[in-house]
């Protein structure tokens, strides 16, 4: 068994994953409403980010604006630095927000989590997955009990967000082949862990995506012994 597969799954930690423009906002609302409808306390959060410090790290990771102090040459962020910053933000987020919320009995719904590091930094950037697994084990120590993967054709997702931002962020500025590797990475992880992942067809209209997500969460809750 791989080292990342050996981590315990937390029964109240849910993550949402997928490529750009997959519709995580609609899905997050559907998860929140399904859980709240059963009387559960729900904390919605995101990565990279989720605490003031982690949000500052997010800015470092994603900002693509020319810096007034950088002169003409922008310093390139290396793949290894990108991975370590993702995990620096995540360590802070897990320690300050996620663990305390889980400990008081809340459900935590996270817009992206460690699977994004395997997909973007592992498959996209080509970094060694054993290194990612080691960081995951040391700084997170658990996996979500449920991961919803919004799967969508790369070009369709990018078309949805085209023209949204004056400055597309640093990762959004990558080429299609990068995002094809990321998508494949997510799909491989979902195929390897079918009991944790539910793959949602994100090409459907928003209401249908929301309904599919709500149904998946409801079935997952019903399948568990300790019902909320
Ligand atoms: N990243 C990483 O590399 N490693 C890590 O470990 C982590 C993250 C945690 C920031 O994430 C970046 O960080 C991300 C991965 C990297 N980079 N990329 N690319 P983010 O989640 O903040 O960024 P994002 O994935 O680019 O967000 P997004 O493009 O906004 O995607 P979304 O949240 O899934 O989409 P949305 O906001 O719900 O919808 C986007 C648009 O599509 C909007 O105009 C909607 O109206 C439209 N939309 C949504 N659903 C539909 C449907 N069903 N039909 C038609 N149109 C739709």
């Amino acid at each position: 068994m791989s080292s990342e597969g050996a981590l315990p799954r937390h029964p109240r930690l849910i993550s949402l994953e997928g490529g750009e423009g997959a519709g995580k906002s609609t899905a997050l609302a559907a998860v929140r409403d399904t859980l709240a409808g059963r009387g559960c306390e729900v904390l919605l959060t995101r990565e990279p980010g989720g605490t003031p410090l982690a949000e500052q790290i997010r800015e470092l990771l994603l900002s693509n604006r020319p810096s007034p102090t950088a002169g003409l040459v922008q310093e390139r962020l290396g793949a290894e630095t990108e991975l370590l910053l993702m995990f620096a933000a995540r360590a802070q987020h897990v320690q300050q927000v996620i663990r305390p919320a889980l400990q008081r009995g809340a459900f935590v719904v996270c817009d992206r989590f460690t699977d994004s590091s395997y997909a973007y930094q592992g498959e996209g950037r080509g970094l060694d997955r054993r290194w990612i697994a080691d960081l995951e084990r040391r700084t997170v120590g658990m996996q979500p009990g449920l991961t919803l993967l919004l799967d969508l054709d790369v070009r369709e997702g990018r078309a949805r967000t085209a023209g949204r931002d004056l400055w597309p962020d640093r990762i959004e500025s990558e080429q299609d082949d990068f995002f094809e590797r990321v998508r494949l990475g997510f799909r491989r992880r979902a195929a390897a862990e079918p009991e944790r992942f539910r793959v949602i067809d994100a090409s459907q209209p928003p209401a249908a995506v929301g309904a599919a997500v709500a149904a998946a969460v409801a079935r997952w809750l019903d399948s568990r012994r300790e019902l909320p």
Side-chain angles (χ1 to χ4, degrees):
M1 186 186 276
S2 63
S3 55
E4 72 267 27
L7 290 176
R9 293 187 182 138
H10 197 288
R12 289 188 309 280
L13 177 59
I14 299 177
S15 62
L16 270 167
E17 300 282 6
E20 193 185 339
K24 288 184 279 98
S25 313
T26 307
L28 270 174
V31 179
R32 180 200 58 210
D33 293 349
T34 307
L35 291 169
R38 296 196 182 205
C40 307
E41 184 196 346
V42 187
L43 177 87
L44 295 186
T45 187
R46 71 165 181 185
E47 291 209 339
T51 80
L53 183 59
E55 290 291 331
Q56 283 184 288
I57 299 174
R58 177 187 176 94
E59 180 65 21
L60 279 177
L61 273 162
L62 300 181
S63 176
N64 212 13
R65 292 192 193 112
S67 151
T69 54
L72 290 176
V73 182
Q74 282 292 107
E75 183 175 348
R76 199 182 66 83
L77 192 71
E80 292 80 3
T81 313
E82 183 179 88
L83 175 69
L84 291 170
L85 284 174
M86 289 291 174
F87 269 95
R90 180 166 296 130
Q92 192 70 10
H93 188 206
V94 167
Q95 207 176 73
Q96 300 292 319
V97 173
I98 296 182
R99 278 204 185 277
L102 293 172
Q103 272 159 11
R104 68 171 186 262
F107 276 77
V108 175
V109 184
C110 197
D111 182 346
R112 298 196 179 283
F113 200 53
T114 319
D115 292 296
S116 276
S117 299
Y118 284 99
Y120 284 83
Q121 283 66 53
E123 302 288 337
R125 304 283 190 219
L127 295 179
D128 189 339
R129 50 176 292 149
R130 287 170 302 183
W131 189 25
I132 303 174
D134 198 37
L135 287 167
E136 180 185 30
R137 190 167 48 78
R138 288 170 189 271
T139 62
V140 183
M142 62 184 160
Q143 286 189 322
L146 174 68
T147 297
L148 296 154
L149 172 60
L150 299 179
D151 184 51
L152 181 65
D153 175 79
V154 167
R155 273 170 297 177
E156 201 176 327
R158 302 198 85 187
R160 285 180 185 176
T161 60
R164 178 177 61 178
D165 308 308
L166 184 59
W167 296 98
D169 76 38
R170 204 178 49 79
I171 296 178
E172 279 167 1
S173 305
E174 288 295 335
Q175 303 298 310
D176 282 357
D177 63 331
F178 173 85
F179 293 106
E180 293 291 358
R181 291 197 297 280
V182 168
R183 183 185 186 197
L184 196 63
F186 276 131
R187 287 162 66 117
R188 279 208 195 108
R189 290 185 69 73
E193 294 182 66
E195 53 311 316
R196 173 163 73 93
F197 277 88
R198 301 291 179 278
V199 182
I200 308 291
D201 173 6
S203 69
Q204 308 172 82
V209 171
V213 166
V217 174
R219 277 197 300 271
W220 176 72
L221 289 170
D222 291 342
S223 72
R224 299 165 6 140
R225 287 223 188 102
E226 33 140 343
L227 291 177

